[in-house]
């Protein structure tokens, strides 16, 4: 397991290295303090996971995330001092898989990284027909009728969770547990971001959804009759 750390604070990097040395000793670590070099390392070194700071000295961490998502679906954990909800939502809009604040809790970081790695390597759902969808997790595509749709890993997990519960209301909390090891403040808004992105990809009219329906204050529903 190869983990790329894109972080300019050497003390934070040392803390991450110590945490992983204890909690995940087999992990191989690569480090850079620059965003541009981090993007290049994702391409050249093919790491399995990325830990990304937002406050980098050369380019904004959001721009690093956007650039990575142009060519890779590698799991990215944002690790930052920014606690405001707008930053959390923006990170997920740009394709982050996790969002943790500094100072981080050591075992939580290890748990979230291992959870992402497990999802990345899992092939148990490969080719699974679920509701009206056919899921291919290794290719990160979903087939709906004659349409093939490219989705991010989190979009895949959410859609699959809704599909296996077709006809039932799936709560925000249930969706959150499917994506993350534990809840965090603002998770409902993050889920709304992913639902909006899903609708833009699978609905004929995202403004008038027929596949993923709102259940006000509760969650979402895929109706049985689609």
């Amino acid at each position: 397991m190869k983990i790329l750390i894109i972080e300019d604070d050497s003390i934070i990097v040392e803390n991450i290295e110590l945490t992983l040395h204890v909690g995940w000793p087999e992990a191989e670590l690569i480090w850079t303090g620059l965003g541009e070099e981090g993007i290049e390392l994702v391409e050249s070194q093919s790491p399995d996971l990325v830990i990304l700071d937002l406050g980098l000295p050369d380019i904004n961490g959001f721009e690093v995330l956007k650039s990575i998502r142009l060519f890779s679906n590698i799991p990215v954990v944002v690790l930052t001092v920014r606690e405001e909800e707008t930053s959390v939502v923006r990170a997920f809009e740009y394709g982050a898989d996790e969002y943790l604040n500094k100072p981080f809790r050591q075992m939580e970081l290890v748990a979230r990284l291992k959870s992402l790695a497990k999802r990345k390597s899992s092939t148990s759902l490969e080719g699974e027909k679920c509701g009206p969808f056919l899921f291919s997790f290794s290719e990160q595509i979903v087939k709906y009728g004659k349409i093939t749709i490219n989705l991010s890993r989190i979009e895949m997990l959410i859609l699959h969770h809704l599909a296996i519960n077709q006809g039932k209301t799936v709560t925000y909390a249930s969706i959150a547990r499917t994506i993350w090891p534990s809840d965090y403040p603002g998770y409902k808004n993050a889920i709304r971001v992913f639902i909006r992105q899903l609708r833009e990809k699978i609905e004929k009219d995202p403004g008038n959804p027929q596949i993923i329906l709102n259940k006000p204050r509760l969650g979402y529903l895929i109706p049985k009759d689609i």
Side-chain angles (χ1 to χ4, degrees):
M1 180 60 58
K2 187 185 297 183
I3 301 174
L4 170 62
I5 304 169
I6 308 176
E7 165 66 67
D8 64 311
D9 188 330
S10 60
I11 295 177
I12 296 294
V13 174
E14 289 176 5
N15 288 338
I16 295 172
E17 289 177 339
L18 178 60
T19 296
L20 293 176
H21 178 72
V22 174
W24 203 356
E26 61 270 29
E28 175 188 351
L29 304 182
I30 309 169
W31 170 52
T32 178
L34 299 175
E36 291 283 4
E37 186 177 6
I39 297 167
E40 294 174 3
L41 287 171
V42 172
E43 288 194 271
S44 64
Q45 296 296 316
S46 299
D48 299 290
L49 299 167
V50 173
I51 299 173
L52 173 65
D53 180 32
L54 295 180
L56 299 168
D58 56 341
I59 60 173
N60 189 290
F62 290 117
E63 295 304 315
V64 175
L65 184 54
K66 285 174 64 177
S67 296
I68 290 173
R69 285 293 174 252
L70 292 176
F71 64 88
S72 175
N73 283 314
I74 183 174
V76 176
V77 176
V78 170
L79 186 62
T80 179
V81 295
R82 301 185 187 182
E83 297 182 348
E84 63 272 16
E85 189 173 323
T86 54
S87 290
V88 177
V89 172
R90 186 180 178 192
F92 283 122
E93 285 180 330
Y94 287 176
D97 295 276
E98 292 280 3
Y99 193 101
L100 294 176
N101 290 122
K102 301 173 185 175
F104 61 90
R105 291 176 290 189
Q106 294 176 324
M107 290 302 99
E108 180 182 6
L109 176 62
V110 173
R112 289 180 183 268
L113 289 171
K114 287 186 175 181
S115 177
L116 285 174
K118 183 178 180 180
R119 292 173 194 164
K120 183 175 184 289
S121 62
S122 174
T123 58
S124 61
L125 299 176
E126 187 64 28
E128 180 182 357
K129 183 72 167 65
C130 194
F133 305 103
L134 180 65
F135 292 84
S136 175
F137 272 71
S138 64
E139 298 178 282
Q140 291 194 199
I141 61 172
V142 168
K143 292 184 178 179
Y144 176 54
K146 296 181 179 180
I147 303 172
T148 299
I149 307 159
N150 292 294
L151 299 178
S152 71
R153 183 175 50 264
I154 289 185
E155 290 168 349
M156 293 275 287
L157 290 170
I158 292 175
L159 186 61
H160 181 265
H161 190 49
L162 293 173
I164 62 176
N165 290 285
Q166 186 176 8
K168 302 176 183 177
T169 297
V170 181
T171 66
Y172 285 103
S174 178
I175 294 171
R177 286 192 296 270
T178 298
I179 306 170
W180 303 295
S182 59
D183 295 345
Y184 66 90
Y187 73 88
K188 287 186 178 181
N189 282 340
I191 289 171
R192 291 186 185 107
V193 169
F194 289 121
I195 292 293
R196 186 182 73 237
Q197 292 171 174
L198 275 170
R199 284 172 169 163
E200 289 173 351
K201 293 180 179 181
I202 67 176
E203 299 274 6
K204 290 184 179 179
D205 180 5
N208 183 30
Q210 302 298 311
I211 300 172
I212 302 177
L213 306 182
N214 282 344
K215 300 300 288 185
R217 298 184 300 278
L218 296 176
Y220 298 93
L221 165 76
I222 293 179
K224 282 189 173 182
D225 57 353
I226 65 167

